[in-house]
Amino acid sequence: MTSAREAAETPIPAALNVALLACALSAGAGALWLASHAEGWPVRLLAAAVFSFVNNTVFSLLHEATHGVLHPRRHVNDWLGRVAATLFPTSFTMQRAFHLNHHRNNRTALEQFDYFRPGDNRFLKRAQWYSILSGLYWLFVPVGAVLFALFPGLLHRLRGTGTRYGEQTGADAYLGRLDAAPGGAIRGEVLIAVLVQAGLAVMLDLSVTGWGVCYAAFAVNWSALQYADHAWSPLHVRDGAWDLRVAAPVRWLFLNYHYHRAHHRHPHVPWLYLGRYVQPDIERPSFLRIWLSMWRGPRPLPVSVEER
């Protein structure tokens, strides 16, 4: 938890967050419309690229909501989180359960997707790894939310409880969180997301191609960062992340999400202040260098690494 002094020095920028959410949602809707109605592929691809960044702004605000720092009033924070989740699309409650579980298990044996551990199924490890890099990882989130809403028992059977598969993929640890999650809230949020997506499709006359190319671009952009900020970092729950170097405009659009080590060490500090907690004496690799190195695949677990 954040200290009283830290909270006083880093107040939640509620008005700014609401304005950013409104602007990012509007820009995302505009990009979806342009990708659906432009005649030439260059314009469609440009619209998709824009969508891939502004929808990451929406996701970054959703991330703030999962930590309760999007708005100081809990009720408002959660409803803003639900709104942001509709553009992913996913359930806010499910996303919060999974993300807070990530903070508990970061860089433990349950989250070492970058290393081959003794006994790992190497084919499964590589399949999981390249699904992250290719953007396929994004697809599991909305599909999983819909499956839970329609067939809650199905995901329970996919956990692989007590198996090497369940541990290696993290499925047991993550899907297990749904046992205690409010199923009614998740189903209601999935329904809201479906209605919002359907409403956008009707009101903006979206084409399947336009919607698909935008979300494909977002999937690749979003998935790339989701493990680049952890790959090859120390095997430590709090320190196992990077404060990545990236072009300032990109970092602004991602709302300082690249300052991920600072976030893991201070998870209740709003995005606006994370730069204060970046330690200049700690290694800060570039996002591009880490991302390119990831394409070579997982590595053997270093013998000299001490797990904590």
Side-chain angles (χ1 to χ4, degrees), residues 231-275:
W232 332 123
S233 66
L235 300 184
H236 188 279
V237 171
R238 286 191 312 141
D239 294 340
W242 301 115
D243 290 325
L244 295 170
R245 290 183 290 107
V246 70
V250 174
R251 179 168 51 79
W252 298 336
L253 284 168
F254 280 77
L255 305 186
N256 290 334
Y257 198 92
H258 297 83
Y259 290 158
H260 216 59
R261 183 177 185 273
H263 168 65
H264 270 265
R265 291 176 61 84
H266 305 274
H268 296 287
V269 168
W271 66 271
L272 189 61
Y273 314 102
L274 284 178

Side-chain angles (χ1 to χ4, degrees), residues 26-51:
S26 299
L32 286 168
W33 180 89
L34 184 58
S36 295
H37 294 274
E39 295 184 0
W41 271 102
V43 177
R44 289 181 182 177
L45 293 176
L46 177 61
V50 170
F51 181 81

Side-chain angles (χ1 to χ4, degrees), residues 22-207:
C23 290
L25 290 172
S26 299
L32 286 168
W33 180 89
L34 184 58
S36 295
H37 294 274
E39 295 184 0
W41 271 102
V43 177
R44 289 181 182 177
L45 293 176
L46 177 61
V50 170
F51 181 81
S52 77
F53 282 97
V54 297
N55 211 34
N56 266 297
T57 304
V58 176
F59 174 77
S60 295
L61 292 167
L62 168 60
H63 173 248
E64 293 291 290
T66 64
H67 285 285
V69 291
L70 183 59
H71 195 280
R73 294 173 59 186
R74 177 62 181 268
H75 181 72
V76 177
N77 177 88
D78 290 359
W79 272 104
L80 289 173
R82 292 184 180 102
V83 171
T86 64
L87 260 286
F88 190 86
T90 189
S91 154
F92 168 67
T93 300
M94 179 179 285
Q95 178 64 25
R96 177 166 56 189
F98 287 167
H99 184 68
L100 297 183
N101 196 52
H102 160 63
H103 275 263
R104 283 186 285 269
N105 295 313
N106 178 47
R107 303 305 281 153
T108 66
L110 297 174
E111 290 197 18
Q112 291 172 16
F113 309 123
D114 47 344
Y115 290 124
F116 290 118
R117 296 177 54 82
D120 277 352
N121 181 314
R122 294 203 168 200
F123 174 80
L124 180 59
K125 177 76 77 170
R126 289 190 179 95
Q128 188 174 20
W129 185 254
Y130 287 108
S131 73
I132 294 172
L133 282 171
S134 66
L136 185 61
Y137 172 46
W138 165 81
L139 187 62
F140 296 147
V141 180
V143 170
V146 171
L147 287 177
F148 178 83
L150 296 176
F151 313 106
L154 177 61
L155 294 186
H156 181 79
R157 289 193 290 273
L158 293 175
R159 282 175 56 181
T161 304
T163 66
R164 186 63 188 175
Y165 153 79
E167 179 183 334
Q168 177 179 323
T169 62
D172 189 17
Y174 279 85
L175 296 182
R177 299 300 302 174
L178 298 180
D179 291 343
I186 292 175
R187 284 187 284 274
E189 290 164 359
V190 170
L191 178 60
I192 292 172
V194 169
L195 291 175
V196 168
Q197 290 287 330
L200 287 172
V202 172
M203 289 188 296
L204 301 178
D205 190 26
L206 302 182
S207 67

